[in-house]
Amino acid sequence: MANRDKIMWIFWIQFALLLTAILMGIRRGGVALGMIGGLGVAVLCFVFRVAPAEPPITVMLIILAVVTASATLQVAGGLDFLVQQAERLMRRHPQQITFLAPLSTFLLTMCVGTGHAVYSLLPVIADVSLKTRIRPERPMAMASVASQMGITASPAAAAVTSLLAMTSHSGQPLTLWQILMVTAPSGLLGVLAAACWSLRRGVELDRDPEFLARMQDPDFRASVEKSVTTLDKTLPAAARQSVALFFSGILVIVLLALFPQWLPVSQGKPVPMTTVVQFVMLAFGAFILFRSNAKAAVIARSEVFTAGMIAVVSIFGIAWMSDTFVKANEPLLVANIKAMVAYAPWTFALAMFAVSAFVKSQAATLTIMVPFGLALGLSPHQLLAIMPSCYAYFFFAFYPSDLAAINMDRSGTTRIGKYLLNHSFMMPGLIGVGVSTLAAYGLTHLYF
């Protein structure tokens, strides 16, 4: 009995260490999560004599390859080209902005694998809303939430390729096509459901006493009435071709996932898709580089590349620490939690949602939680069924896209409330993630 008590004490101390590392990394931001995670691995090894798990090399290499190609697309003008097409659509149908804005940001993220393109669209969404006197909070909050929901539906997103890599050595490895056939339609349903709810949220601008009072200020009126557009921006000559090349790379990956007999063979076995994703995305990144003549130094300084490298370092440290903790305590975890999770797998979705509320990355959330799930006996298909729940960082509205939406809404309707959690993103996020998780759960049971 004394030995069991000692084991439990060690478990809770290590668990507290893991939570402390995550919270400290979140507070400091950037690459701090990765470095503090690495410190946690060192403590587990030297103090608790735990064997370190294998670092998530495959996940990191996939993210590196995809981010490099996406950053090259950005420097070549491809992201700006896609943003301009989305703006043309919204300005052509301004009365439908509450639907068109989130659909545009969802599809944009789905296409390029990153939600960072939303920053260029947010001022346009606010402008179209104000010109038609539609309360900007409706499309602005939805656009920010939808841009992050598109991550689990993108074949180029780190979260999707991370799940692909982490289940590749399990008994039921997921294919890229299996992931997308669940996450794409379920994510779209979640966005549409949240947009429907947003249609009538808040009062109309012409009846909003706070907005009408602020309009009496000439400076505020001038800021509201000025036009914001991306259509006057001159794009590089290769912008359109760079988009075509990037999508061609995505198409090649999807086709190889659909037809594995086309995969190259090494030592009598097909090359793993996790490896194929890496060299295909690097290759098409090179094609974009050649076509656009983009400068390598500029690519390395781009927003997409910087954000991607931060994600790699974060995942390197914190996922490594998490996996080390799981493997060291696997017998205890399985003995105490497996029965509950096996009986009600949806409870694991709540745990994933809670972790994501603090970890500002869906890929990092998955790299922390998927090893837990596999250790508890959840199958890759069960983890796929609850994958949309890995997005919850709207909960505290501290993600950059949420803050940007607040700052770029010149009307002031998109905001954080007096009580912190009563902000503009809460209900769209809860509805969107809730509906998409339920839809993914149903689709997974239907398909598999």
Side-chain angles (χ1 to χ4, degrees):
M1 189 68 177
N3 187 51
R4 177 176 172 80
D5 289 342
K6 181 181 178 181
I7 292 173
M8 288 299 297
W9 269 109
I10 292 174
F11 167 80
W12 286 114
I13 292 171
Q14 292 179 3
F15 185 62
L17 176 66
L18 176 63
L19 291 181
T20 302
I22 292 173
L23 292 174
M24 288 177 63
I26 290 167
R27 286 193 64 182
R28 291 182 176 269
V31 297
L33 189 62
M35 291 189 288
I36 294 173
L39 174 61
V41 175
V43 172
L44 288 173
C45 293
F46 285 109
V47 176
F48 294 95
R49 299 299 177 182
V50 169
E54 287 294 320
I57 300 298
T58 301
V59 174
M60 292 161 59
L61 291 178
I62 290 175
I63 295 173
L64 275 171
V66 172
V67 164
T68 302
S70 298
T72 309
L73 175 70
Q74 182 184 28
V75 174
L79 282 182
D80 288 333
F81 173 79
L82 291 171
V83 167
Q84 286 189 350
Q85 304 315 304
E87 179 178 350
R88 287 192 175 94
L89 176 64
M90 288 187 287
R91 291 197 182 278
R92 198 173 295 129
H93 306 283
Q95 295 296 333
Q96 305 304 319
I97 188 69
T98 306
F99 279 108
L100 292 179
L103 286 174
S104 296
T105 58
F106 178 85
L107 293 174
L108 194 60
T109 298
M110 187 176 172
C111 289
V112 300
T114 174
H116 292 289
V118 74
Y119 302 125
S120 300
L121 269 179
L122 287 174
V124 174
I125 296 168
D127 190 59
V128 174
S129 303
L130 286 168
K131 293 295 187 295
T132 52
R133 287 297 186 262
I134 291 173
R135 187 178 181 86
E137 179 186 30
R138 299 170 184 172
M140 292 289 280
M142 268 308 309
S144 179
V145 168
S147 70
Q148 302 308 312
M149 289 179 62
I151 287 174
T152 54
S154 171
V160 172
T161 52
S162 296
L163 184 64
L164 180 72
M166 286 185 290
T167 61
S168 61
H169 301 297
S170 66
Q172 297 175 297
L174 295 172
T175 67
L176 183 63
W177 181 246
Q178 285 176 330
I179 295 173
L180 295 179
M181 67 192 293
V182 169
T183 57
S186 63
L188 190 59
L189 284 172
V191 168
L192 290 173
C196 286
W197 179 86
S198 299
L199 278 174
R200 298 297 178 188
R201 74 176 308 186
V203 298
E204 302 295 342
L205 280 183
D206 58 5
R207 291 187 288 108
D208 187 335
E210 184 177 341
F211 176 77
L212 293 175
R214 296 177 71 187
M215 283 292 283
Q216 302 304 312
D217 181 351
D219 291 336
F220 179 77
R221 178 181 288 274
S223 71
V224 166
E225 292 178 349
K226 71 178 182 181
S227 293
V228 179
T229 181
T230 65
L231 299 179
D232 56 2
K233 184 175 183 178
T234 303
L235 301 182
R240 189 189 299 264
Q241 292 89 339
S242 68
V243 172
L245 286 169
F246 187 84
F247 286 173
S248 296
I250 299 296
L251 181 61
V252 167
I253 291 172
V254 173
L255 288 174
L256 289 173
L258 278 172
F259 303 101
Q261 63 270 26
W262 294 354
L263 290 169
V265 176
S266 175
Q267 298 180 344
K269 296 182 179 179
V271 174
M273 271 302 298
T274 51
T275 304
V276 171
V277 170
Q278 295 169 42
F279 63 68
V280 168
M281 291 310 298
L282 287 173
F284 277 88
F287 293 151
I288 297 171
L289 180 74
F290 297 146
R291 177 63 189 87
S292 65
N293 201 27
K295 303 297 183 185
V298 178
I299 295 171
R301 293 195 301 268
S302 68
E303 292 177 3
V304 170
F305 192 83
T306 301
M309 293 308 100
I310 291 172
V312 168
V313 176
S314 298
I315 287 169
F316 182 23
I318 204 64
W320 193 8
M321 182 184 181
S322 174
D323 204 17
T324 300
F325 168 76
V326 169
K327 282 184 166 45
N329 296 280
E330 189 168 341
L332 185 64
L333 287 168
V334 170
N336 288 278
I337 309 175
K338 183 176 181 179
M340 181 191 74
V341 173
Y343 177 74
W346 57 267
T347 57
F348 197 75
L350 298 178
M352 192 181 301
F353 185 87
V355 170
S356 179
F358 295 95
V359 179
K360 295 186 290 185
S361 165
Q362 293 175 57
T365 299
L366 288 170
T367 52
I368 291 170
M369 296 301 292
V370 167
F372 270 107
L374 294 174
L376 293 172
L378 290 176
S379 70
H381 289 139
Q382 288 174 313
L383 291 170
L384 174 59
I386 58 175
M387 186 181 180
S389 66
C390 71
Y391 167 49
Y393 39 85
F394 66 85
F395 196 82
F396 295 108
F398 54 29
Y399 195 71
S401 64
D402 299 335
L403 298 177
I406 293 169
N407 292 326
M408 293 178 186
D409 179 1
R410 305 194 301 276
S411 72
T413 58
T414 307
R415 54 193 162 189
I416 295 176
K418 178 181 178 181
Y419 304 104
L420 184 63
L421 295 182
N422 59 329
H423 52 71
S424 298
F425 312 93
M426 181 63 81
M427 288 307 298
L430 290 175
I431 294 171
V433 172
V435 170
S436 60
T437 302
L438 289 173
Y441 200 86
L443 287 172
T444 303
H445 283 76
L446 178 66
Y447 292 150
F448 311 112

